[in-house]
Amino acid sequence: GQQTFLWWARKKDNSLFWAEVKIQYTQFEDEEYAVVLVRDVTHRVEFEDNLRKRDSEIQAIFDATAYGIFIIEVEEDGDFSVSNMNIADEEITGVKVAEIKGKKFREFLPVDVADAITANYRKCIQENATISYEEEVNLPAKGLKYALTTLVPVHNENGKVIRIVGSTLDITSRKKIERKLYAEKERLSVTLKSIGDGVIATDTEGKILIINKSAEQMTGWTQSEAEGKLITDVFHIINQKTKRVSINP
């Protein structure tokens, strides 16, 4: 048989080098021999060591970013599997890369969720370009999540898309706030529109948010026309004596 070892070796000048030692046992004329082959592999070992250090540095940067980053492999059958994901993406999705690495999405997600996610991957390949979109995903480990996602296709030497690099930002909190504000605005709108007096609601800059029916009739401006305009452009106060426009308080 054959055995291979990697050892430090010392030269005549006392300098050290990495030696790959192969020992081959053989038999000749009923006697056993050990043939020893020695090769200087210092450059190869140093290269592999530098490669490991570089990979470690890249992984550290990969994991340090606040954005979720993931790498998707495009399979020969057109399906998709998980190649890698950083710590931020693990936190967003609630799954660990060690548990799903190499798996297709239907293997660890409900079919409808997996198909919704991979539909965007197919779109990225079809358009052969970077795409960005907002998505709503119901994840088993995290529940309903909203994310702003960007996908970048990676090509081989023949121009075929072989993987997709993606980044995702969890915007669930922002979406919840937006929906809460929208609901509050709707409730306020219903309340103001039910008041008999003319009511105009503005933001801190004096831009009109809501104008009820009574105010529409008084000013001649509809909600769609007035919304976003300055109140001074819609509601004019006239001085009784001079008949001129007064400063709006």
Side-chain angles (χ1 to χ4, degrees):
Q2 178 177 289
Q3 292 178 298
T4 303
F5 304 92
L6 188 64
W7 289 329
W8 274 110
R10 190 186 301 277
K11 295 181 179 181
K12 182 179 179 181
D13 60 3
N14 286 327
S15 63
L16 298 175
F17 68 98
W18 282 105
E20 183 181 73
V21 180
K22 292 185 178 181
I23 303 175
Q24 176 73 48
Y25 297 96
T26 186
Q27 192 169 357
F28 181 71
E29 294 183 353
D30 296 328
E31 290 194 31
E32 289 189 352
Y33 294 87
V35 178
V36 180
L37 301 176
V38 181
R39 184 170 58 165
D40 186 345
V41 292
T42 303
H43 291 306
R44 190 195 78 190
V45 171
E46 289 177 348
F47 175 78
E48 290 173 349
D49 186 49
N50 289 332
L51 194 60
R52 279 192 294 271
K53 288 179 180 177
R54 189 191 68 178
D55 288 345
S56 178
E57 290 170 354
I58 292 173
Q59 187 65 43
I61 296 171
F62 189 62
D63 286 333
T65 178
Y67 279 78
I69 299 177
F70 52 92
I71 301 173
I72 304 300
E73 294 295 328
V74 181
E75 303 292 338
E76 289 297 325
D77 61 2
D79 207 345
F80 306 91
S81 63
V82 178
S83 174
N84 202 359
M85 60 197 300
N86 69 348
I87 293 172
D89 202 42
E90 289 183 335
E91 185 64 29
I92 292 170
T93 60
V95 294
K96 300 292 184 183
V97 66
E99 299 170 355
I100 63 172
K101 188 178 179 69
K103 290 185 177 181
K104 296 180 179 181
F105 284 80
R106 286 192 174 194
E107 295 180 53
F108 61 90
L109 289 175
V111 173
D112 58 333
V113 176
D115 289 351
I117 291 173
T118 55
N120 287 307
Y121 300 162
R122 297 186 200 287
K123 181 180 178 182
C124 179
I125 293 175
Q126 288 169 359
E127 295 186 6
N128 197 23
T130 299
I131 63 171
S132 296
Y133 53 93
E134 284 190 10
E135 59 182 333
E136 177 183 325
V137 185
N138 195 0
L139 298 170
K142 289 289 187 174
L144 190 61
K145 282 281 187 181
Y146 296 90
L148 179 60
T149 302
T150 298
L151 303 177
V152 181
V154 179
H155 306 84
N156 63 10
E157 62 276 7
N158 298 318
K160 181 181 178 181
V161 178
I162 56 172
R163 67 180 56 89
I164 295 171
V165 177
S167 66
T168 187
L169 178 65
D170 186 350
I171 57 172
T172 304
S173 296
R174 191 191 82 188
K175 280 292 183 181
K176 287 180 177 178
I177 292 171
E178 286 176 355
R179 291 193 171 191
K180 185 177 179 181
L181 289 174
Y182 178 79
E184 290 177 353
K185 182 181 177 182
E186 285 298 299
R187 284 196 295 270
L188 176 61
S189 177
V190 171
T191 301
L192 293 180
K193 286 177 180 179
S194 66
I195 296 174
D197 295 328
V199 178
I200 301 175
T202 71
D203 61 15
T204 56
E205 296 178 351
K207 293 181 180 179
I208 295 174
L209 300 173
I210 299 170
I211 178 170
N212 72 353
K213 286 294 182 184
S214 296
E216 283 183 340
Q217 293 171 359
M218 291 177 189
T219 63
W221 290 75
T222 64
Q223 170 71 37
S224 60
E225 292 172 335
E227 188 172 357
K229 287 186 168 55
L230 291 172
I231 190 170
T232 51
D233 294 334
V234 174
F235 182 60
H236 304 121
I237 299 175
I238 307 299
N239 185 286
Q240 187 176 2
K241 293 181 179 180
T242 64
K243 307 300 182 181
R244 293 181 180 178
V245 177
S246 296
I247 297 174
N248 195 310

